[in-house]
Every structure is written in structure tokens, then in C-alpha cells.
Amino acid sequence: MTASPRHLLFSLSVLFLLTACQSDDPAPALSPEPSLRVEVGTDPHSFAEFERVHIRHMRLDLDADMNRRTLSGHVVLDLERPVPGFQRLVLDTRDLDIRDVNAVRPDGTFLPVSWRLGADHGHLGQPLVIVLPQGIEQVRIDYASRPEAFGLQWLDAAQTSSGKPFMFSQSQPHYARTWVPLQDTPAVRYTFEATVRGPRDLMVVMGAAGNLFERNDSGEYHFEMPEPIPSYLMAIAIGDLVFAETGPRSGIYAEPEWIEAAAAEFDVLEEMIDIGEDLYGPYRWGRYDLLVLPPSFPFGGMENPRLSYITPTIIAGDGSLLGLVAHELAHSWSGNLVTNAAWRDLWLNEGFTVYFEARIMERLYGTDVRDQLAVLAWDGLNETLQTADERDRQLVRDLSDRDPEQAFMRVPYDMGRFFIDWLEHRYGREVLDTFLRQYFDYFAFRSITSEDFLDYAREHLIEAHPGRASLAEFEEWLYQPGLPDTAQEIRPRSDAFTEVDGWRENWQTGVVGLAELPVADWSVHQWRHFLIGLEGLLDAGTMAAMDEQFALVEQQNYEILFLWLMRSIEAEYTPGIERLESFLLEVGRNKFTQPLYAALAASDWGRDWAVEVYQRARPGYHPLTRQAAERALGLTD
Ligand code: BES
Ligand code: ZN
């Protein structure tokens, strides 16, 4: 990758901050001074000069204070120095209180070193520049996180179902730096160990080996991550957790109230791991457990290694929303094993994973369900492609001057997935599966760019199987905005949805009445398709009649309920708006809250009401959900 203007800007601004703005609490002046020129590496969202010095292993030692909402203690970083004699280590930090920095000599004794905390770069935080004396390969940083740490959510006793406090991290894409000073780029991988002390009546878990099946009365927990991971996969949670086994190497952690329903809903977990291995090679992480979070968890799921995080809003009672579990599990190969080197390459993580997820779902539930899910994704993607900026309509995107949060939209997910579908179509399933198994094996535990993928595919697909697809076609998928014309070859179709379309039309034209719709046979996804097709077409009277027939406002399935609430906003349907209020106070999953707040803000009657509801809901929301809701409501830009 070449130096972009952004890189230059960084170099200059870091240069400036090192000369002009030193930390409020300057380090003891020791020689030599940190040299002034900091060049930014190939990841525009990290200050770390990781090609010269990088973290290889980390030892965390932290105390969690649930009342003060802090993690405090120290981290010891073992370094590797590909450029010998390079005398500076640059770490990413954001809102951390750095208390002390010491080099650790090979004999274990400390050597105070000179360090500076640079100027605040907003969401990127502040670089921590540390002088590395000759021969030093270990650095210890004593620090504490702040209550407002963007990557941590602290819930007090009144905000959980157990009545006890809860804390969880969300490090992706670049929030690990808000709870550990580190090189916060997916290009750097390291192993780690951790000791964490929490309140005795709570349990500490991490995305690592060593999670216990029962609370430890001492309150002290030990973890180890023997496989090298990037920082965005670091995860910690503390709460009133219990465990239920789902198989010899899998299980569920949740607050007591959720555990039974969660264990029943996710009882296919072990089978999913077996399917994943059968498709794309060994699961290389030991155990695979799920942590069910409180409903304020801002995402559907997060693929933290060995312990993926899952929203309780997919516990539908019938397994209908398990695609999300398949998705997070699939990341154990696509993403966690073979990792995007920077956020511009996110489609390598998410696109492959959505494809892999679909393959697991097909094995478990058949081609009919697979096709329904594919059509939902296709339609959603095409809607996004119609409205998105040109620069956001391609797989590989230049995000260098943007918040990497912006990387997460439908395009890298669903366009990435349809690209792999298209490869399957052109090469055949057998060739593609063999290719993917080799790809995961070849790049295992490495972070790669889109161009690394392209080079590998050129050799193992394009040249090895000539006449199926050209390099130009690959490049069109990766670098041109929108779906290529050839994507029509893999346009998904679902007979089950065609039937729903027929019924919807017959109902709307008065050919059949509500009571005649054969909804007893409809899948959750048919319902979703039915309600998506009614966008902007319902009035409050019709919605009341539908509720009388189907009780949609009482839906337990959050995907269906969400769509019903969207329709309620459009139609100003009072029972729906009432349900919406309690929904917004309970659920903090951004995929739901952001569009709901945006729709309310766009209505002439709803904005003030939405702001008022938001103010009440805000204390229970994650910082990410707050940020998105405030943007949707026009409270911040
Ligand atoms: N890695 C993402 C979660 C994520 C999203 C982290 C955005 C940071 C920013 C996770 O694997 C994911 O994709 N979750 C989706 C579910 C999936 C089925 C599309 C989600 O949370 O909705
Ligand atoms: Zn994902």
C-alpha cells in the first residue's frame, strides 16, 4: 500500500503533537527523548508503526470496579523488533489514564522510560509514544480505563435481569484501545494471558481459554489465548453468569433468567461446529461457547474467539434466527483465522462469513430456507446499492479518512457473499470448497489484504481452472461500484416468497380477505418478506385489522416485530407506537434502534416524542447505540 495524503496528515499532526502538546502529566524527563517523527503504518486507523516493532504476546492484570466503572492494573507487552535498533514503540489509546510506563529488562527488573501521550484525534484516540532502550523486548504499562470507555458497556444492577451489575467489551473495529493500550490494528496478532479480579458474586469470562463453568469464590480468574489474534477480537465480560452445556466442546453463558431458553434455542451449536469443520477444515480454537448478553448489546453477534457474544433478541423459541449463530461461528474460519489486514478489506471477513453461514444453514434447514434468506439479503443489498454513495458501493473501500465504523454496512456483507456465490456458480461447488479449505489453511492465523486474496485466487482458481472466470471479472467485483451484470447469474429465487407475493397482491386487491391468508404455514422469513413488501402501504385501520387477525404487535420474534414497528411509524398506528416505546426502552440492538429512530425523526409527528423516549432509554444503551441514535435524531452530526 502506498502512503496516502491521510498518512502524511498523520505524520504531520503527530509531529506537531509531540512538539507542542505533551500530556498534562508529563513523564519524568529521561533521555533519550522520544524522537519526533512518527510515520503511520499501512493501517490508517492505527498510530502503531507495527512494521518496525510489534506486540507478540501480552500479559494483562486487571481489577474490575463495577461501581467506579473502571478496569485498572497493568499490561506487559512482549515485543518483536523486525527493524532492529528501532527505538520507539507507538501504541493506540483512547480515554485511558496512563499511570506509568517501564521497560522490563531481561532479568525482570524495571527501567523507567520516557513516554508521551499525543494529541487527541477524536475516535482514533491518542498515540502513546514510548522510548525503547536498546535490548529491551518488554514494556509494562500501568493504566486504568475510564467510565466512558467507548468499548465497554457498564450496566448497573437496575439495568439487568439478574439484578446484579454487568459489564462487557465490544472491541471491533477500533475500541480495544479504550480498555488496553495496544497496537489496535487487525494487521498485528499476538497471544495473551490475563488475570482479572472482579466482585466475588460475579463471574468473569473472556474470549480465551480458561473460562470456568462456575463462579470462582475468590473473584480471581485466569485466561490464556494460545492462538495469535488481532486486537479487535479481545473480549471480556463480567456478570451474574451461569453455564449450560450444549455438547462436548460447546456451551452457553447467560444470566440465570436467560439460560434455559438460550440453551434450548442454541442446542444445535455442537452440530454447527461439526458442519463447519466438515465444510472448511478443523475448528482450531478448542472450545466454542456463546455468551448471551443483556438486550442492550449493540449488535446481533460478535465473533470473539472461543466465546462469541450473542444478543438475546434472536431467542425466538423456534430456532428461526439461528443464522446469526452460524454467522459468528463461521468467523472462526473467515475473520478469526484469516483476518482482514485493515478495515478496507472487511469484506474478506464478513462476505466470506455470510457465504459460510448460508452453507451451514443449508445443511441444517435445507435449500428452501437457504433461498428465503438469500432473497432477503439480495433485496436488502439492492435497496442499499440504490441509495448509498458511490464510494460505499464497492467491496474494497477507501476508509482512510473515515471512522472505520463506516465499514459496517450491507455491501461488504451481502455483496461479498454474492461474490462467493458467483465463484461457486462459475467454478462449481467442489472446486470452490477445495479452494476455500486451502485458503483457510494457507493463510491460517494471518492478516491479509484484498490483494493477497486476489493473488492467491489468481493462482488457485483463475489459472488452475482456466475458462471459468477472468481476472478482470474478479477485479470488477472487488473494485467497481455496484453488482456486476454477471451477478444476475446467481440472483436468488424463492418459491415460498413468490407464493407470499401472490397472496399479498390478492389481499391488497380485495380478491381474498385477511382470514384466508395461509399464515399458519408461513415461515418467519415469509412473514418478513410479506411485511417488507408492505412498506408505505398500510394505514392504521388496516393495521388494526391485521392485529386482530395475527396479533403482530404481540410478536415474540424480534425480526417480525421490528418490521411491524416500522410499519406502525409510517401509519401512525397507536398500538404499534405504544409497543415501540417499550421496545426502545428494552432493546439496544443498533440494527433495530437506528432505523426506528431515523424513521421517527423523518416523520412530522414523531421526532420530539422520539427524543423524549431516547432520553429515557439512553442510560441503558451502549455508547455505539447512543451515537447512532443521536445521529439519526439529528442531536449530533
Ligand atoms: N463482526 C460483526 C459485528 C460487528 C459489526 C462489530 C459492526 C463491529 C461493527 C458480526 O460478526 C456481525 O456481522 N454481526 C451481525 C450479524 C450478522 C448475521 C450479519 C449483527 O450484529 O447484526
Ligand atoms: Zn460478521
Side-chain angles (χ1 to χ4, degrees):
M1 272 179 273
T2 50
S4 68
R6 180 69 183 164
H7 291 134
L8 231 148
L9 195 79
F10 266 103
S11 308
L12 292 175
S13 51
V14 173
L15 182 88
F16 171 75
L17 66 90
L18 284 173
T19 47
C21 340
Q22 298 187 346
S23 142
D24 292 346
D25 181 22
L30 295 160
S31 60
E33 282 293 295
S35 104
L36 296 184
R37 218 177 108 70
V38 174
E39 281 169 34
V40 176
T42 50
D43 181 345
H45 301 118
S46 169
F47 292 103
E49 306 163 301
F50 54 86
E51 281 124 326
R52 302 189 185 167
V53 184
H54 63 84
I55 302 172
R56 181 164 68 71
H57 182 76
M58 168 186 295
R59 262 177 297 269
L60 269 172
D61 190 298
L62 294 173
D63 285 283
D65 187 326
M66 306 299 281
N67 297 320
R68 290 205 177 129
R69 302 187 163 195
T70 60
L71 295 175
S72 63
H74 66 260
V75 60
V76 176
L77 305 173
D78 291 2
L79 304 172
E80 197 159 298
R81 300 169 78 160
V83 179
F86 189 68
Q87 290 198 18
R88 184 179 56 217
L89 170 67
V90 185
L91 303 177
D92 295 295
T93 74
R94 176 174 162 189
D95 295 333
L96 290 181
D97 288 320
I98 305 295
R99 295 176 172 158
D100 200 9
V101 183
N102 286 280
V104 185
R105 296 194 190 89
D107 67 3
T109 56
F110 291 174
L111 173 66
V113 291
S114 184
W115 58 277
R116 293 280 184 283
L117 208 49
D120 190 349
H121 285 64
H123 67 89
L124 294 176
Q126 298 172 273
L128 171 60
V129 184
I130 301 167
V131 171
L132 276 187
Q134 287 296 340
I136 289 298
E137 254 134 48
Q138 252 186 17
V139 168
R140 169 174 157 146
I141 300 149
D142 289 68
Y143 74 99
S145 71
R146 300 212 186 123
E148 68 271 21
F150 206 86
L152 302 177
Q153 183 172 6
W154 302 85
L155 294 166
D156 62 35
Q159 292 169 314
T160 63
S161 68
S162 64
K164 295 201 179 152
F166 202 104
M167 186 281 288
F168 63 88
S169 65
Q170 169 56 43
S171 299
Q172 195 182 16
H174 64 322
Y175 307 125
R177 68 188 70 178
T178 70
W179 62 284
V180 188
L182 42 58
Q183 293 177 306
D184 200 8
T185 165
V188 172
R189 314 179 76 97
Y190 52 86
T191 51
F192 74 82
E193 296 154 73
T195 296
V196 184
R197 282 164 299 275
R200 284 165 197 272
D201 61 339
L202 300 179
M203 182 160 162
V204 183
V205 291
M206 285 191 85
N211 288 311
L212 302 181
F213 298 139
E214 273 177 12
R215 189 162 51 80
N216 181 354
D217 287 330
S218 74
E220 182 172 299
Y221 295 80
H222 300 277
F223 307 95
E224 186 194 358
M225 174 48 81
E227 289 85 25
I229 60 157
S231 56
Y232 78 88
L233 292 177
M234 287 207 88
I236 185 169
I238 305 176
D240 182 14
L241 296 174
V242 288
F243 175 80
E245 190 181 280
T246 52
R249 53 177 167 171
S250 64
I252 316 290
Y253 290 90
E255 286 196 306
E257 186 194 271
W258 296 104
I259 194 70
E260 207 178 310
E265 193 83 13
F266 304 141
D267 65 353
V268 294
L269 190 55
E270 191 78 26
E271 196 184 340
M272 280 192 182
I273 306 170
D274 295 341
I275 294 172
E277 292 195 305
D278 191 46
L279 285 169
Y280 298 124
Y283 175 79
R284 306 202 197 203
W285 306 86
R287 291 190 58 85
Y288 185 69
D289 297 311
L290 299 180
L291 172 64
V292 177
L293 289 130
S296 65
F297 182 55
F299 297 113
M302 176 63 213
E303 66 269 28
N304 299 316
R306 292 169 186 257
L307 183 68
S308 290
Y309 288 12
I310 299 287
T311 171
T313 61
I314 64 158
I315 303 175
D318 57 5
S320 55
L321 303 179
L322 286 173
L324 193 133
V325 174
H327 179 98
E328 304 314 334
L329 169 67
H331 272 307
S332 306
W333 290 259
S334 42
N336 299 5
L337 195 57
V338 181
T339 307
N340 52 210
W343 300 114
R344 76 187 268 279
D345 306 304
L346 178 71
W347 76 278
L348 291 175
N349 280 16
E350 298 297 349
F352 280 73
T353 295
V354 178
Y355 173 82
F356 195 158
E357 165 195 343
R359 293 292 300 275
I360 295 174
M361 295 303 276
E362 178 190 311
R363 281 273 187 104
L364 279 172
Y365 305 108
T367 51
D368 191 17
V369 166
R370 176 202 65 190
D371 292 341
Q372 293 180 35
L373 290 166
V375 174
L376 284 172
W378 179 272
D379 292 348
L381 172 64
N382 280 283
E383 199 185 309
T384 301
L385 288 172
Q386 274 167 25
T387 50
D389 276 11
E390 170 121 339
R391 61 179 181 167
D392 290 333
R393 280 191 274 140
Q394 60 199 53
L395 281 186
V396 184
R397 289 159 56 212
D398 179 10
L399 296 164
S400 48
D401 57 356
R402 296 165 78 186
D403 186 330
E405 197 60 50
Q406 303 289 322
F408 295 86
M409 50 179 298
R410 289 202 89 118
V411 173
Y413 284 79
D414 294 325
M415 198 159 111
R417 172 258 172 91
F418 289 119
F419 172 47
I420 315 293
D421 270 5
W422 180 83
L423 292 178
E424 181 190 314
H425 170 73
R426 288 291 183 93
Y427 288 96
R429 211 170 240 204
E430 217 182 293
V431 170
L432 186 75
D433 280 354
T434 305
F435 168 80
L436 289 175
R437 270 190 292 271
Q438 287 174 349
Y439 165 82
F440 289 130
D441 202 47
Y442 182 78
F443 290 114
F445 299 112
R446 285 165 62 184
S447 303
I448 69 168
T449 64
S450 302
E451 291 67 33
D452 292 328
F453 162 78
L454 209 50
D455 286 346
Y456 190 80
R458 191 194 339 233
E459 187 181 338
H460 296 274
L461 285 177
I462 302 173
E463 284 162 12
H465 304 277
R468 314 265 181 104
S470 68
L471 181 62
E473 286 176 309
F474 273 70
E475 287 175 339
E476 187 180 1
W477 273 100
L478 264 57
Y479 302 112
Q480 295 300 314
L483 284 166
D485 293 341
T486 53
Q488 294 306 323
E489 294 165 15
I490 44 107
R491 178 183 181 140
R493 276 163 235 282
S494 156
D495 294 340
F497 280 10
T498 309
E499 275 172 39
V500 168
D501 291 335
W503 285 108
R504 194 198 301 104
E505 191 175 326
N506 282 338
W507 168 57
Q508 287 185 277
T509 51
V511 177
V512 299
L514 279 177
E516 290 160 84
L517 298 180
V519 297
D521 303 330
W522 284 2
S523 70
V524 166
H525 312 301
Q526 282 176 294
W527 264 113
R528 291 167 71 187
H529 181 69
F530 181 71
L531 292 174
I532 289 168
L534 290 171
E535 180 176 350
L537 298 177
L538 298 179
D539 57 44
T542 310
M543 292 188 75
M546 290 171 79
D547 260 344
E548 199 147 309
Q549 196 72 40
F550 310 125
L552 289 165
V553 79
E554 287 157 35
Q555 254 296 326
Q556 299 300 306
N557 188 296
Y558 277 79
E559 293 287 346
I560 297 177
L561 179 61
F562 162 72
L563 290 167
W564 191 242
L565 298 177
M566 288 295 284
R567 298 298 84 91
S568 299
I569 296 170
E570 291 157 16
E572 290 182 51
Y573 172 55
T574 310
I577 310 290
E578 282 165 16
R579 179 67 185 93
L580 174 60
E581 177 172 356
S582 57
F583 183 95
L584 290 171
L585 289 167
E586 173 203 341
V587 177
R589 185 175 170 192
N590 217 353
K591 169 183 157 179
F592 296 144
T593 51
Q594 193 278 340
L596 289 167
Y597 281 117
L600 286 167
S603 72
D604 48 14
W605 58 273
R607 187 179 175 273
D608 292 347
W609 180 77
V611 171
E612 186 271 317
V613 175
Y614 171 71
Q615 298 299 356
R616 276 187 286 142
R618 187 179 183 279
Y621 285 164
H622 188 278
L624 270 157
T625 303
R626 292 179 185 175
Q627 178 175 278
E630 285 172 19
R631 282 182 187 151
L633 290 168
L635 299 173
T636 54
D637 46 37

